[in-house]
Amino acid sequence: MRIYVPLDAAAKALGADDVAAAIRAEADARGLDVEIVRNGTRGMVWLEPLVEIEDADGRRGYGPLTVDDVPALFDGTLETLGDVEKIPFFARQTRLTFARCGLIDPLNIDDYEAHGGLAGLRRAIQMTSENIVEEVKTSGLRGRGGAGFPTGIKWETVLHAKGAQKYIICNADEGDSGTFADRMIMEGDPFVLIEGMVIAGLGVGATKGYVYSRSEYPDANAVFAEAIGIALERGLIGPDVLGSDRRFDLELRIGAGAYVCGEETSLMNSLEGKRGVVRAKPPLPAYRGLFNRPTVVNNLLSLATIPAIFEKGAEHYADFGLGRSKGTMPIQIAGNVKYGGLFETAFGMPLGELVNEIAGGTASGRPVKAVQVGGPLGAYMPPEKFDTPFGYEEFDGQGGLIGHAGIVVFDDTVDMLQMARFAMEFCAIESCGKCTPCRIGAVRGVETIDRIAHGDPDAPALLADLCETMRGGSLCALGGFTPFPVMSALTHFPDDFAPAREAAE
Ligand code: NAI
Ligand code: SF4
């Protein structure tokens, strides 16, 4: 009998390690031959620790499981969730990037291969660099970090850029509020990222890759470091990738916890051992990136999607989605919701369906007041905008952004003035300090919102003016996008900004 107990950080926070130990002890006490596999998560966080038993009858789930449930699990008297892939939250998904997460043993390369892994790389290794880049262009894949720049065009630029050494950087500095997809891949299917990076290396002629992760992800970093060792041992990386004469070396680097190090130029400074300050663009990293060499900087999700594109074909991937938002997006649902977790679906699902149907509305049972999409720099969307389809252009058209596809739900007890203040405060704390609109503007922003709270009638116009300056004058997205949450709060929830003013009048 095989029992899967997630090693995912969220599952561990909910007691998965204790459950695994209790299962081991119970099996030993009963003299049963049980193999415990520490898998990634299936992405249904409200069911964690979600344990699955695999035997002659197939695979069935139990969760959330406690240590006290373990004897009943072995007695066969515990109520089962049945086939977890039939749970509506899971069954409604289209899993391409996350096809194996939670299904396989993350550190078993044979299990990875048995579930479709390495098929993409084996195909890519037979192709020319130009054909690899063309395949990515045909897939329509766009940057999953948030900016949505076409991945194939970025690769093409690096392919044609001149440089004795080229690099692939995976941006795994997942700092957005309500996001956890990068972590789940590193913990649940690390070889898919390694495979994607090797294909990127073959595509642009880079022989060295770095994964830039964060110190806040100790579990993910430990699993991924082990995966790199296994990949090297098994020839997935190293001097002769899968027995070919192609080289690709890979290193994991861990940042010290600055949000702005998720910005690509700041990330490269950090990788070079310098302070994580943003560099002006141009030059683009594609021409002069890490150590001044042509560099692909891709978000983890972009790179982890590459193997599926090469395994199933670019057209297959491009068939999913809406308009210029092709393929699927691993959407991360968090905040005040009944069912939080990872929901991968083709672009196009309306926001309201995600919030009210997939996430089941608020956990508190109160009405939804606002949803922040795209991290701390994303706009607050009111229920009136719930018909907005999930897509890059569609959200842009509504004054928002999808960012890294994190959505955080708030009920009607939230004070939007405080949320706007928090956005400015966050920017002030995380600013790298390079440019004035962000460094000074965010501090003045907090003060101006406090003036609104104290009823200063001139302050709202001043805040709008300040936001306009930050938006147009900041060097990077931190200062430039902070106006999104601030202005969306002010525009869509004027009542939260009014009472203090009225009280003062
Ligand atoms: P950007 O629009 O300047 O660039 C997007 C990407 O395309 C960059 O990698 C850039 O180097 C590349 N690029 C642009 N033109 C190119 C060309 N002609 N050839 C090759 N490459 C080219 O956006 P930026 O400043 O890198 O990122 C902003 C986005 O980051 C925002 O949309 C925001 O949603 C997102 N973001 C994501 C966070 C996360 O945690 N994932 C955190 C903060 C912001
Ligand atoms: Fe640094 Fe802020 Fe300017 Fe970005 S906008 S370069 S974080 S000061």
Side-chain angles (χ1 to χ4, degrees), residues 260 278 431-435 438 474-476 478-479:
V260 77
V278 173
S431 170
C432 84
K434 175 133 176 168
C435 66
C438 167
S474 296
L475 196 56
C476 86
L478 181 50

Side-chain angles (χ1 to χ4, degrees), residues 71-139:
L73 181 75
F74 282 92
D75 290 342
T77 54
L78 197 66
E79 199 183 331
T80 174
L81 298 162
D83 178 354
V84 298
E85 296 192 2
K86 295 209 169 90
I87 296 171
F89 185 93
F90 195 99
R92 289 189 66 174
Q93 301 186 44
T94 303
R95 286 198 162 204
L96 299 178
T97 309
F98 275 76
R100 280 171 298 264
C101 188
L103 182 64
I104 62 164
D105 178 346
L107 290 170
N108 183 331
I109 215 161
D110 297 320
D111 205 7
Y112 176 67
E113 202 166 358
H115 289 87
L118 300 185
L121 176 57
R122 288 193 200 289
R123 185 173 157 233
I125 231 164
Q126 309 295 333
M127 296 164 73
T128 63
S129 291
E130 284 75 10
N131 287 344
I132 290 175
V133 167
E134 205 50 44
E135 185 80 356
V136 178
K137 281 168 75 180
T138 307
S139 75

Side-chain angles (χ1 to χ4, degrees), residues 203-239:
V204 306
T207 54
K208 174 96 197 187
Y210 293 92
V211 174
Y212 186 88
S213 181
R214 53 203 314 255
S215 52
E216 294 93 330
Y217 279 177
D219 298 299
N221 295 336
V223 177
F224 196 74
E226 212 177 325
I228 288 180
I230 296 167
L232 189 59
E233 220 170 80
R234 296 289 298 268
L236 169 54
I237 53 175

Side-chain angles (χ1 to χ4, degrees), residues 168-407:
I168 308 295
I169 295 177
C170 164
N171 185 347
D173 192 32
E174 185 173 47
D176 278 2
S177 40
T179 62
F180 38 79
D182 296 356
R183 174 182 65 71
M184 284 182 171
I185 287 287
M186 287 174 80
E187 291 169 353
D189 194 10
F191 295 124
V192 80
L193 171 59
I194 297 175
E195 184 182 348
M197 291 184 74
V198 178
I199 296 174
L202 298 176
V204 306
T207 54
K208 174 96 197 187
Y210 293 92
V211 174
Y212 186 88
S213 181
R214 53 203 314 255
S215 52
E216 294 93 330
Y217 279 177
D219 298 299
N221 295 336
V223 177
F224 196 74
E226 212 177 325
I228 288 180
I230 296 167
L232 189 59
E233 220 170 80
R234 296 289 298 268
L236 169 54
I237 53 175
D240 43 12
V241 170
L242 295 185
S244 69
D245 58 352
R246 317 292 290 272
R247 177 174 203 110
F248 193 78
D249 299 314
L250 185 58
E251 267 186 53
L252 171 67
R253 293 289 181 88
I254 298 164
Y259 180 75
V260 77
C261 284
E263 196 282 333
E264 60 182 0
T265 61
S266 175
L267 185 160
M268 289 187 297
N269 273 342
S270 173
L271 262 184
E272 290 176 8
K274 300 172 185 154
R275 199 174 148 207
V277 175
V278 173
R279 300 179 191 167
K281 291 191 281 191
L284 286 167
Y287 295 108
R288 284 169 56 194
L290 188 66
F291 304 116
N292 249 339
R293 310 286 190 168
T295 304
V296 168
V297 188
N298 277 154
N299 180 258
L300 184 149
L301 291 180
S302 311
L303 290 162
T305 301
I306 294 293
I309 291 171
F310 281 80
E311 180 199 349
K312 297 182 193 309
E315 283 85 7
H316 178 265
Y317 189 77
D319 267 353
F320 296 97
L322 169 79
R324 291 184 52 227
S325 304
K326 304 270 194 217
T328 59
M329 189 74 202
I331 297 170
Q332 299 128 84
I333 303 172
N336 191 342
V337 287
K338 275 203 188 75
Y339 310 121
L342 191 289
F343 188 85
E344 181 175 353
T345 186
F347 282 102
M349 186 175 275
L351 179 61
E353 192 175 334
L354 281 163
V355 173
N356 293 323
E357 290 180 34
I358 306 299
T362 62
S364 63
R366 300 184 67 90
V368 174
K369 178 165 171 179
V371 181
Q372 189 176 31
V373 182
L377 311 178
Y380 287 101
M381 306 284 274
E384 298 79 64
K385 290 193 180 282
F386 274 12
D387 56 355
T388 310
F390 211 85
Y392 293 99
E393 280 67 36
E394 292 69 18
F395 266 65
D396 189 45
Q398 294 298 329
L401 49 96
I402 62 169
H404 189 51
I407 73 176

